[in-house]
Amino acid sequence: NCPDLVRRVVHAAGLRGDEVVKLGVEELPLRTALAYRLDCVQIDNKLYGLAAAVGYREQHVFEALSGDATARKAYSDANHVIDVVDGSWMRPEPQALVNAMRPLGPRLYSISSSPLAHTDEVHVTVDVVRYEMNGTLRKGIASSFIGERCGPGVRVPVYIRPSGDFGLVADDQAPTIMVGPGTGLAPFRAFLEEREARGAKGYNWLFFGARHEAADFIYRDQVERWRDNGVITRLDLAFSRDQERKIYVQTKMREHGADLFAWLTQARTSTFVGTPAEWLRTSTKRCSRSSAPTADTTARAQTPTWSACTAKAATSETCIDDSTRAALRHRRYGALGICGGPHRHERGRGGVRPAA
């Protein structure tokens, strides 16, 4: 968590920060627990009850929220932990505050590099999240840590999560369509690095979109080099705010509907979409159906299943240890989990996971 946010939570609760609290069997200062082990953004339901019990303002509001799931969700979408602590004027015991907060979970980022291109590195593509809420600046926990506070030499606990079906096929002759609206380009950089390193002859069609070409065209030099040397067979770009008429990735997909449908109906074609699931359910279904030159029933029968991946996407690199390298060799593409506490991890199913 951001040190300034930790300071604000401690101050708003009327505490010092050096009070000793327990997390499981471990004892540590409150400030350390808030910085590395607890989620200082997302509100746990228990925090509403604590605000009602030891707060000096708006007790009835927080008491009502404790028993109303719908109202609680609406409030949680528009507020963070600091808003409850500060808004209730609560004066909790340090341990009570800790008990009412969520543990700091890992953040998953799509791996954006191929182990064939970067033997001892894993790249992740991180867009630092900053926005305003209730009149104050808010930041993404992991993205701001990586982008603002994680400099050279800082050791960060990480683990590999397998990607399931979201991975390149072994057939280097197979055509591949990659759709990366916004920051969804991240895993496809890994795919293209892999295909280049393997000398794959299969055609690659990349759709990429963002708001502004000058500011948001990540990996531009690399993508344009791939286009020029033939690693990318077709490249369609959509920058929605660079002209009066907004142009999106799905706009480009519709414009090239006949060609897209022809690729989709080729045997062995793989299609990957790096995007939130809601975009996949709406935009790609409309595009694939409107692209088909025949009836919708034919399109549904012939169009391969879309593979979806949610990708956060400047670039951060981290050296990896032997266990992580082995996991990458076994399942090359997936997500890199960025954990909370320094050097706190334990073995679990699926590799290394953060300690509870």
Side-chain angles (χ1 to χ4, degrees):
N1 289 291
C2 177
D4 182 63
L5 178 59
V6 170
R7 178 193 60 77
R8 290 175 58 206
V9 171
V10 170
H11 178 76
L15 300 170
R16 301 187 309 274
D18 59 353
E19 299 91 340
V20 176
V21 296
K22 291 187 68 174
L23 290 175
V25 298
E26 185 179 11
E27 293 187 348
L28 64 167
L30 172 64
R31 186 177 291 106
T32 301
L34 292 174
Y36 295 108
R37 306 296 296 282
L38 299 170
D39 192 331
C40 290
V41 174
Q42 299 300 317
I43 304 169
D44 190 278
N45 294 342
K46 295 188 293 294
L47 192 63
Y48 295 116
L50 183 65
V54 300
Y56 290 89
R57 185 173 67 176
E58 308 274 0
Q59 293 99 321
H60 64 287
V61 172
F62 294 109
E63 185 174 2
L65 287 170
S66 298
D68 188 335
T70 302
R72 193 166 58 240
K73 182 181 184 308
Y75 184 91
S76 297
D77 287 344
N79 295 274
H80 291 162
V81 166
I82 184 61
D83 301 302
V84 176
V85 176
D86 191 36
S88 65
W89 288 1
M90 65 166 65
R91 289 297 179 265
E93 293 295 323
Q95 189 63 51
L97 177 63
V98 166
N99 294 344
M101 295 179 66
R102 296 182 180 184
L104 182 59
R107 269 51 176 179
L108 298 175
Y109 293 93
S110 292
I111 292 173
S112 56
S113 60
S114 163
L116 296 182
H118 309 278
T119 306
D120 294 317
E121 298 176 352
V122 173
H123 297 191
V124 293
T125 305
V126 181
D127 186 9
V128 180
V129 176
R130 301 183 185 93
Y131 56 99
E132 187 174 293
M133 177 184 286
N134 299 329
T136 60
L137 176 67
R138 309 297 169 106
K139 301 178 181 180
I141 294 177
S143 67
S144 64
F145 169 70
I146 294 171
E148 298 176 354
R149 303 186 300 281
C150 182
V154 175
R155 295 179 62 85
V156 182
V158 299
Y159 68 102
I160 300 292
R161 191 179 79 167
S163 60
D165 294 332
F166 194 88
L168 281 173
V169 297
D171 184 358
D172 285 342
Q173 305 299 321
T176 301
I177 300 171
M178 292 160 281
V179 183
T183 55
L185 178 62
F188 305 136
R189 177 180 183 256
F191 284 16
L192 290 164
E193 284 190 342
E194 178 83 2
R195 297 209 98 183
E196 181 180 40
R198 290 186 347 204
K201 302 302 182 184
Y203 294 154
N204 299 301
W205 189 347
L206 175 65
F207 291 89
F208 172 68
R211 287 175 174 263
H212 300 285
E213 180 177 4
D216 303 321
F217 193 172
I218 57 177
Y219 303 119
R220 177 174 189 155
D221 292 346
Q222 194 171 25
V223 168
E224 291 181 342
R225 177 176 63 80
W226 281 330
R227 177 198 60 196
D228 295 341
N229 67 16
V231 172
I232 295 178
T233 311
R234 292 192 61 163
L235 175 63
D236 280 282
L237 305 172
F239 298 103
S240 59
R241 303 301 193 271
D242 282 350
Q243 60 284 310
E244 185 175 350
R245 170 177 167 262
K246 293 181 181 178
I247 298 176
Y248 300 101
V249 163
Q250 54 267 42
T251 310
K252 292 293 185 178
M253 294 172 73
R254 284 191 289 267
E255 286 179 1
H256 301 292
D259 290 343
L260 180 59
F261 186 77
W263 277 55
L264 288 170
T265 53
Q266 287 186 56
R268 302 178 301 166
T269 297
S270 297
T271 306
F272 301 92
V273 184
T275 181
E278 183 58 34
W279 191 97
L280 179 73
R281 283 193 295 269
T282 56
S283 300
T284 58
K285 285 183 179 180
R286 287 198 301 268
C287 288
S288 63
R289 290 174 183 172
S290 64
S291 300
T294 55
D296 279 352
T297 53
T298 303
R300 284 195 294 270
Q302 295 183 348
T303 301
T305 301
W306 296 89
S307 295
C309 166
T310 301
K312 304 251 186 197
T315 298
S316 177
E317 302 175 4
T318 178
C319 293
I320 57 177
D321 59 19
D322 290 340
S323 62
T324 305
R325 189 177 297 109
L328 282 170
R329 283 198 298 267
H330 179 60
R331 301 293 294 272
R332 281 186 174 169
Y333 298 108
L336 188 73
I338 308 294
C339 307
H343 313 297
R344 292 283 303 169
H345 64 272
E346 61 182 11
R347 289 285 176 183
R349 289 185 301 171
V352 180
R353 61 183 175 86

